[in-house]
Amino acid sequence: MLPPVPNPAEFGVTSDYGFLSPELPLEVLPDPYYADWEMIVGNLHPLILSKRLQSMVDHLPLLSVIHLRTEAEWRRAYVVLVFILHGYVWSGDSPTERIPPQLTVPLFEVCERLELPPVATYAGVCLWNYKPVFADEPATNLDNLACLQTFTGSLDEQWFYLISVAIEARGAPAIPLMLRAITAARTGNSQIVTECLQRLAETIDETSTLLQRMYEHCDPYVFYNRIRPYLAGSKNMSDAGLPKGLLYDDGHTLEYRQYGGGSNAQSSLIQFFDIVLGVEHRPTGTSRSDEQSTDGIKSRNSFIHEMRTYMPGPHRRFLEQIDSVANIRPFVEARRGDSALCIAYDACLAMLRVLRDKHITVVSRYIILQSRSARQPSRSTNPTPTAVTNLATATPADKKKLRGTGGTALIPFLKQARDETGEPAIDAWARRLLSNGPADKNFASLSKVGEQPDGHLEVVGLCGTWTADENEGGICHW
């Protein structure tokens, strides 16, 4: 007997808001007992600038979580505590390793309730960190959104978070849409499945358009040097000054822990798209020929699945339920003669790949190129060494494997995830266009200018390939 198609409402997921909370996030905790927390997070930027944040946190009383009553209050407490946590760790000239009990104890309890790790996640900086500017206008319109918390107080940081909020809202209608498609596939209704896939392709295309608006108000230099360091986790962060991770002190024991920081891979919406379309991701660095593990079970991308542990518990369980009922890919594969159905399915894959291509472009502009600029030797006659140690100033041992805030090798992961998106395509011609290699022996491979298998990116200029490494002058190479 087939498992039932899950009801999104049981997991806090709605057709209007998707994985965003159906009720607006709280702007402050209502109980005055938590006034000290709210005072610090409300003045986070000036406390960071004046270098007084750590002293304020160290002198906090150890507050209990017993006065948190509603789910919205638990979420607000999480947002408050993780913003204070990351400010505490990354606001100095070098990262602070030890986390005092005033943060550790309540944060652990809040995270246990919300089924989240004690670190800033996508949920904390995006899903539960927005408000409408005008209460009588939609809270899902990008032009009517503002952030509740930031580290820098800058428009750039707000815009960076709000783009993701808007994408989540725009993609929300796709959730009930694809549940309808799954139900229709069970009864063999190709027409409904086709219509749902056509609308899904349009929705994914709309999210890509929103992603491109990142450039409007978020400056790459500001993002890389001022915002991104605060979003870093403690996993694989030796180069940024945390070789062992963070030392959490609960007042009784000291324990080193390592967690990835906030990452778009923690978006339940994007993973939902993958699951319903049957897109499978392998461990980074493996090819299709390696997809079968030694025991005959398909190996899955450990990073993508690890990121589910950084999602709120109900969202994670919803994806698990969707995974157990997803049937669109085999339904389409069994009906290759239905051209409308196959075209609609391939269009969804094409739009999802375009979204990932645009994300790689954003990452290249905001991280890869900025990291190269940061490593350029100073042209000053009196160069001074960098005094700050964080994710922006870190120099990885392997410069071709720059790490993201989530701790993974950035470009190899993103490029492989993009290339895998087109692999399920039904039509051979579509598969050729969407894959990183030939669909079959009758087609030639489509090469990608400037992309290397090891993740090295080259910047392509008008007359060749421009390099931006420290020891080369940027002259075009052939």
Side-chain angles (χ1 to χ4, degrees):
M1 182 177 178
L2 294 174
V5 177
N7 178 7
E10 296 178 0
F11 303 90
V13 181
T14 67
S15 58
D16 293 328
Y17 292 90
F19 295 98
L20 297 170
S21 173
E23 57 180 348
L24 290 176
L26 289 178
E27 297 187 31
V28 295
L29 288 167
D31 197 315
Y33 177 78
Y34 299 109
D36 288 340
W37 288 358
E38 290 288 357
M39 186 279 294
I40 290 179
V41 81
N43 293 280
L44 194 60
H45 183 221
L47 288 174
I48 288 174
L49 287 178
S50 62
K51 298 187 181 298
R52 298 178 64 181
L53 175 60
Q54 292 183 349
S55 174
M56 291 291 294
V57 172
D58 290 339
H59 288 88
L60 271 175
L62 180 55
L63 300 182
S64 169
V65 297
I66 61 173
H67 300 289
L68 299 174
R69 297 176 177 85
T70 67
E71 193 70 14
E73 290 179 18
W74 284 96
R75 291 173 177 174
R76 173 61 185 172
Y78 172 75
V79 172
V80 167
L81 290 171
V82 295
F83 267 87
I84 296 175
L85 169 70
H86 281 244
Y88 187 91
V89 172
W90 296 108
S91 61
D93 291 338
S94 60
T96 299
E97 182 184 71
R98 176 187 166 274
I99 310 304
Q102 295 94 319
L103 278 180
T104 297
V105 174
L107 180 59
F108 278 10
E109 293 177 339
V110 168
C111 289
E112 182 179 7
R113 167 65 181 263
L114 297 174
E115 302 175 72
L116 286 168
V119 67
T121 63
Y122 182 86
V125 300
C126 295
L127 298 183
W128 304 336
N129 185 36
Y130 73 96
K131 65 178 180 179
V133 178
F134 299 101
D136 58 342
E137 295 183 14
T140 55
N141 183 348
L142 179 57
D143 298 319
N144 188 43
L145 291 176
C147 281
L148 299 176
Q149 306 301 151
T150 64
F151 296 103
T152 64
S154 65
L155 171 63
D156 306 75
E157 185 178 358
Q158 286 208 46
W159 194 250
F160 177 72
Y161 301 149
L162 294 176
I163 288 290
S164 292
V165 173
I167 287 174
E168 294 285 338
R170 187 65 58 88
I175 298 172
L177 179 73
M178 292 313 295
L179 294 181
R180 180 174 179 237
I182 290 171
T183 302
R186 289 184 170 188
T187 61
N189 194 326
S190 295
Q191 181 178 350
I192 290 180
V193 175
T194 300
E195 292 172 356
C196 291
L197 288 171
Q198 289 170 343
R199 290 173 59 189
L200 176 62
E202 294 170 355
T203 299
I204 298 175
D205 183 48
E206 290 168 358
T207 63
S208 294
T209 301
L210 282 171
L211 179 60
Q212 285 190 295
R213 293 191 62 185
M214 181 70 73
Y215 308 115
E216 292 180 14
H217 299 298
C218 185
D219 180 82
Y221 177 88
V222 174
F223 171 77
Y224 184 82
N225 291 281
R226 301 287 183 260
I227 301 168
R228 185 171 178 258
Y230 288 107
L231 300 176
S234 54
K235 186 175 184 178
N236 296 327
M237 287 294 159
S238 295
D239 296 326
L242 293 176
K244 298 181 180 179
L246 292 179
L247 185 62
Y248 290 89
D249 180 359
D250 65 4
H252 303 286
T253 59
L254 295 171
E255 180 184 5
Y256 276 106
R257 295 191 184 188
Q258 295 187 0
Y259 297 101
S263 167
N264 278 329
Q266 296 163 8
S267 167
S268 300
L269 178 68
I270 304 303
Q271 291 212 24
F272 175 82
F273 290 156
D274 278 336
I275 293 171
V276 295
L277 292 173
V279 176
E280 297 174 350
H281 296 289
R282 298 177 294 274
T284 304
T286 61
S287 63
R288 296 185 70 174
S289 60
D290 303 325
E291 69 179 359
Q292 295 293 333
S293 60
T294 55
D295 57 3
I297 300 175
K298 287 186 178 180
S299 56
R300 293 187 169 186
N301 187 297
S302 57
F303 179 75
I304 287 179
H305 281 262
E306 179 190 351
M307 288 299 98
R308 291 191 189 178
T309 66
Y310 289 76
M311 299 174 185
H315 296 176
R316 179 168 62 251
R317 287 188 289 276
F318 177 68
L319 293 183
E320 292 168 354
Q321 291 290 312
I322 294 298
D323 210 357
S324 69
V325 300
N327 59 3
I328 300 301
R329 178 177 175 178
F331 180 82
V332 178
E333 288 176 338
R335 292 162 177 78
R336 294 176 181 270
D338 188 334
S339 60
L341 175 66
C342 293
I343 289 172
Y345 177 76
D346 287 349
C348 290
L349 297 178
M351 292 300 99
L352 187 55
R353 182 189 165 98
V354 167
L355 175 62
R356 288 194 157 112
D357 259 327
K358 291 180 178 179
H359 185 219
I360 290 175
T361 301
V362 170
V363 169
S364 298
R365 181 177 295 187
Y366 282 78
I367 299 177
I368 305 301
L369 295 182
Q370 292 301 315
S371 72
R372 290 174 172 176
S373 297
R375 297 200 305 266
Q376 291 292 326
S378 173
R379 300 183 185 276
S380 169
T381 56
N382 295 304
T384 56
T386 302
V388 177
T389 301
N390 59 31
L391 198 57
T393 62
T395 301
D398 186 348
K399 296 174 184 176
K400 295 181 181 181
K401 291 188 177 180
L402 190 67
R403 293 197 176 274
T405 51
T408 188
L410 192 57
I411 290 299
F413 163 71
L414 293 177
K415 287 167 58 178
Q416 181 171 319
R418 174 203 61 192
D419 294 337
E420 290 163 344
T421 301
E423 290 178 358
I426 303 301
D427 182 76
W429 179 80
R431 192 160 59 251
R432 175 174 69 96
L433 292 180
L434 296 177
S435 69
N436 199 27
D440 57 44
K441 63 183 181 181
N442 296 319
F443 290 109
S445 173
L446 295 181
S447 62
K448 296 181 177 63
V449 179
E451 292 189 1
Q452 306 298 326
D454 62 3
H456 182 48
L457 278 184
E458 295 174 316
V459 185
V460 179
L462 293 177
C463 55
T465 300
W466 291 79
T467 63
D469 291 333
E470 297 94 325
N471 298 322
E472 300 184 43
I475 303 299
C476 53
H477 292 257
W478 291 93

